[in-house]
Amino acid sequence: MVSILACCANGSGTSLMMAMTLEKVIKTQGYKVDRTNHCSISEGKQIAGNYDIVLCPLNFVSMFSAAADNGAKVIGLRNVMSQNEMTEKLENCGIDLRS
Amino acid sequence: MLKEFVEKKHCNFIEEAADWQDAIRKCCQPLVADGTVTENYAEEIIACVNLYGPYMVLMPGVAMPHSQQCGDNVRGTAISFMKTEKPVFFDENDPAMYANLFFTLASDNPEKHLDNMQQLSVILSSEDLIAELMQVTNEEELLALAVRSGL
């Protein structure tokens, strides 16, 4: 089972929208995800290491280099409302979400 | 939610903004007018963009300006809508980072905010509705779209 964190600057706007898109994607694709969360960048930097995948706006990717070094897959999204973009990037991130 | 924008006077329509900072100040005006946020809320949002980049542009054409939930400059929970005829560019190096539609968030109540965001996500998930919002130029047209879409 996989854990996914959605992160933006404030934790209540963009990341919340990402979390809503993520819920739809998980449901549509039948992904096996046991834990999702959304939060601000300051909290995200501290807890990102506890997640398999971190979703964030494209320009936030570099802020998660420490989490990426520790093995988390950091995925930058251009359109946080797009289920297609999120699905495609999750499919290609190298983590098996179906078993 | 579209109907609520009109009823609560949480909407404005402008030709253009001088720059993205000007756009942020203008999209906050309906929320300042009824005391949902203080005038400094716009400056808070501008500081966020300066610090983190234009992450508030959710997709090409659509921005969702917001700052800290329950922050000092927030007195209520609401979303305000602004439409600009000319696109506002947030990043001179990235032409996709522009917006004509602004959905400005304010929240001092996480539960009510979540409800607002769920309604907003229904709107933003519909490409057809976004295309229609791009055509709206005044309150009457927004209200007509609200009736037509049932939102």
Side-chain angles (χ1 to χ4, degrees):
Chain A
M1 289 290 243
V2 174
S3 56
I4 304 178
L5 178 68
C7 208
C8 75
N10 313 100
S12 59
T14 316
S15 64
L16 185 50
M17 280 299 179
M18 266 190 278
M20 288 180 188
T21 308
L22 177 61
E23 290 303 323
K24 289 181 202 160
V25 168
I26 290 172
K27 220 173 178 180
T28 310
Q29 300 296 326
Y31 288 150
K32 299 213 167 47
V33 176
D34 65 343
R35 196 157 51 101
T36 65
N37 191 9
H38 70 93
C39 70
S40 66
I41 181 82
S42 54
E43 190 186 346
K45 277 185 178 173
Q46 291 170 29
I47 64 173
N50 303 329
Y51 289 82
D52 300 306
I53 298 171
V54 177
L55 300 173
C56 60
L58 212 49
N59 67 304
F60 279 60
V61 171
S62 60
M63 300 176 207
F64 287 104
S65 53
D69 290 345
N70 287 327
K73 298 289 176 191
V74 180
I75 297 176
L77 299 167
R78 176 164 280 279
N79 178 346
V80 303
M81 301 305 299
S82 169
Q83 294 185 53
N84 287 341
E85 182 187 354
M86 194 179 281
T87 304
E88 195 190 318
K89 288 183 173 171
L90 285 171
E91 290 285 341
N92 294 320
C93 77
I95 290 179
D96 181 8
L97 289 146
R98 298 182 191 276
S99 59
Chain B
M1 163 153 282
L2 297 179
K3 199 170 162 221
E4 208 178 307
F5 289 151
V6 179
E7 283 172 356
K8 292 191 169 169
K9 297 194 186 307
H10 285 161
C11 58
N12 54 345
F13 302 84
I14 64 169
E15 179 60 29
E16 62 185 323
D19 47 33
W20 66 263
Q21 292 91 334
D22 182 44
I24 297 291
R25 290 184 188 107
K26 288 197 162 93
C27 72
C28 287
Q29 272 170 5
L31 296 172
V32 174
D34 73 354
T36 303
V37 302
T38 70
E39 289 211 13
N40 281 331
Y41 189 59
E43 305 310 317
E44 218 182 89
I45 295 174
I46 290 167
C48 280
V49 177
N50 282 330
L51 193 58
Y52 296 114
Y55 63 96
M56 293 166 192
V57 179
L58 296 189
M59 61 183 101
V62 180
M64 190 174 70
H66 60 281
S67 181
Q68 213 63 41
Q69 185 162 234
C70 305
D72 290 344
N73 293 307
V74 183
R75 304 285 147 80
T77 303
I79 300 179
S80 190
F81 171 72
M82 180 173 85
K83 158 83 191 296
T84 65
E85 286 307 309
K86 291 187 182 161
V88 176
F89 292 94
F90 282 76
D91 181 349
E92 57 185 23
N93 299 314
D94 188 349
M97 283 289 175
Y98 74 93
N100 293 81
L101 306 180
F102 292 73
F103 297 89
T104 310
L105 313 179
S107 167
D108 71 344
N109 178 333
E111 218 167 288
K112 195 176 166 197
H113 176 63
L114 183 61
D115 184 48
N116 281 348
M117 292 294 277
Q118 273 158 350
Q119 292 185 54
L120 182 58
S121 88
V122 171
I123 295 172
L124 297 183
S125 303
S126 165
E127 285 177 22
D128 292 344
L129 204 55
I130 289 170
E132 293 215 58
L133 282 167
M134 287 285 187
Q135 302 301 322
V136 165
T137 58
N138 57 43
E139 284 183 25
E140 290 73 33
E141 289 174 14
L142 182 58
L143 198 55
L145 178 58
V147 172
R148 211 158 58 233
S149 63
L151 292 167

